[in-house]
Amino acid sequence: MSFIMLIILTAACSYQEQNAPGEMPVMIKVQLMVPEQASPGEAVSLQLKLTQGDAPVSDADQVQFQIWNKLNEPPPVSPEEGYMTVEKLEEQGALTAREVEDGIYEVEYTFDEPGSYVVQAHVTQGSMHSMPRKNVEVK
């Protein structure tokens, strides 16, 4: 009888509350904060705000900014590659952001030449990934 009680107690102590079947985790939200215009040779702050629910996320797995001139868009990722790795993004010139406040990540960037640019964030938190983008006109 004591063996059965031991099994019941062990099972009860190791029970962990789990999400109900089909219940989705709270999604991350990425708000890009970049200027609409910039001047060549002038450093600008590129920021994003990362939240999950109403809470800021301070321990993101990956926060990078990829910047390119619209005339030189980087090649898309092939289905065989699956997704763009941190290393692959860095090979294409992506910049790793640092956290400057709770949930606020930033890089400084200087646009060298006039033109129309795309700023795209690559944010990974757990199994979630977000890639918002905005345009910046450099005049």
Side-chain angles (χ1 to χ4, degrees):
M1 186 65 137
S2 63
F3 179 71
I4 293 173
M5 288 301 290
L6 179 62
I7 291 174
I8 291 171
L9 284 173
T10 302
C13 291
S14 64
Y15 172 78
Q16 293 180 2
E17 189 174 323
Q18 298 178 1
N19 291 343
E23 187 176 310
M24 294 293 293
V26 177
M27 300 303 291
I28 60 172
K29 181 179 177 188
V30 179
Q31 178 187 353
L32 267 178
M33 299 179 291
V34 300
E36 292 180 7
Q37 293 186 348
S39 299
E42 178 183 303
V44 294
S45 172
L46 307 175
Q47 293 186 329
L48 65 80
K49 180 178 181 180
L50 177 58
T51 56
Q52 192 165 22
D54 293 330
V57 176
S58 294
D59 58 350
D61 299 326
Q62 171 196 8
V63 178
Q64 290 178 292
F65 285 88
Q66 186 178 17
I67 302 129
W68 67 86
N69 188 305
K70 284 185 177 181
L71 299 175
N72 301 317
E73 186 163 349
V77 178
S78 70
E80 293 80 30
E81 292 177 290
Y83 68 96
M84 190 73 76
T85 64
V86 171
E87 293 78 18
K88 190 85 153 163
L89 282 166
E90 287 174 351
E91 287 174 17
Q92 293 186 0
L95 305 170
T96 299
R98 72 183 194 295
E99 187 175 20
V100 293
E101 290 179 47
D102 276 353
I104 306 291
Y105 297 82
E106 175 183 67
V107 296
E108 292 286 321
Y109 187 78
T110 301
F111 295 93
D112 294 329
E113 300 177 6
S116 296
Y117 290 82
V118 176
V119 175
Q120 183 171 27
H122 293 267
V123 179
T124 303
Q125 172 62 19
S127 62
M128 292 176 258
H129 189 73
S130 181
M131 302 182 330
R133 57 169 68 180
K134 285 196 172 181
N135 297 322
V136 178
E137 293 296 321
V138 179
K139 302 176 184 182

